[in-house]
Amino acid sequence: MIKTQCRYLALSEVDDLNGICEYKKMVHPISYEFDLIRGNEYFVLGALTRHGTPWLYIAPIKGDKQLRLVPSALFMFDWKKVPKNWFIRFLKYGEIELLPASMVTIDGWFEKYVDDDINVVKIVEEEIDRLCTG
């Protein structure tokens, strides 16, 4: 199980941010807040690179089970704690994802999750439940 703590609410708060130019291409304005709570812990259900910058799939530990994709730079995240049962998947344009086995085989799983695909939502909720009880 991976938990991580929110340090920043917006990329504009991060000092010495690696990849700031790439983040600026994707996040407008750079001061955009991702509806996070500073100091709160979140479950990490996976990771993604976008244009060489790392992002995390997170869900709140308490409250709703809503999964979000946010820049990893906003969190205290130790990449050495990635579970051994996560798998790497290579995507187009040199991007990669690190995901649990239940999610790694579903092409476009995050888009399907956002579109409320009942099967994908069930899998994601089961992963979150597993993290809550693990």
Side-chain angles (χ1 to χ4, degrees):
M1 166 180 15
I2 299 180
K3 290 182 185 177
T4 187
Q5 185 178 39
C6 178
R7 292 177 58 188
Y8 306 103
L9 301 180
L11 290 166
S12 60
E13 296 179 1
V14 182
D15 296 330
D16 192 30
L17 179 62
N18 288 334
I20 189 67
C21 293
E22 293 302 322
Y23 279 122
K24 283 183 177 179
K25 293 177 187 176
M26 295 176 277
V27 179
H28 303 284
I30 200 70
S31 61
Y32 175 83
E33 294 188 7
F34 289 84
D35 193 30
L36 302 167
I37 300 173
R38 189 185 324 270
N40 272 17
E41 287 189 323
Y42 295 82
F43 288 125
V44 179
L45 274 80
L48 167 74
T49 61
R50 282 182 161 176
H51 303 280
T53 60
W55 294 67
L56 301 174
Y57 297 107
I58 63 160
I61 289 179
K62 295 181 180 176
D64 65 47
K65 294 182 181 180
Q66 188 63 36
L67 188 65
R68 292 181 249 172
L69 181 61
V70 297
S72 68
L74 302 176
F75 293 86
M76 296 172 54
F77 184 72
D78 185 353
W79 288 94
K80 292 180 252 175
K81 293 186 178 182
V82 170
K84 292 178 182 172
N85 65 346
W86 281 15
F87 294 86
I88 190 168
R89 177 165 64 173
F90 295 95
L91 306 172
K92 59 185 175 181
Y93 310 117
E95 296 176 352
I96 62 168
E97 276 186 314
L98 290 168
L99 297 168
S102 65
M103 295 159 49
V104 76
T105 59
I106 305 169
D107 288 331
W109 74 270
F110 189 69
E111 292 80 9
K112 291 175 182 176
Y113 172 80
V114 171
D115 290 339
D116 292 323
D117 178 298
I118 193 162
N119 295 322
V120 175
V121 169
K122 180 181 177 194
I123 291 168
V124 170
E125 288 181 353
E126 287 172 353
E127 282 295 328
I128 294 170
D129 288 342
R130 188 183 59 75
L131 289 170
C132 290
T133 59

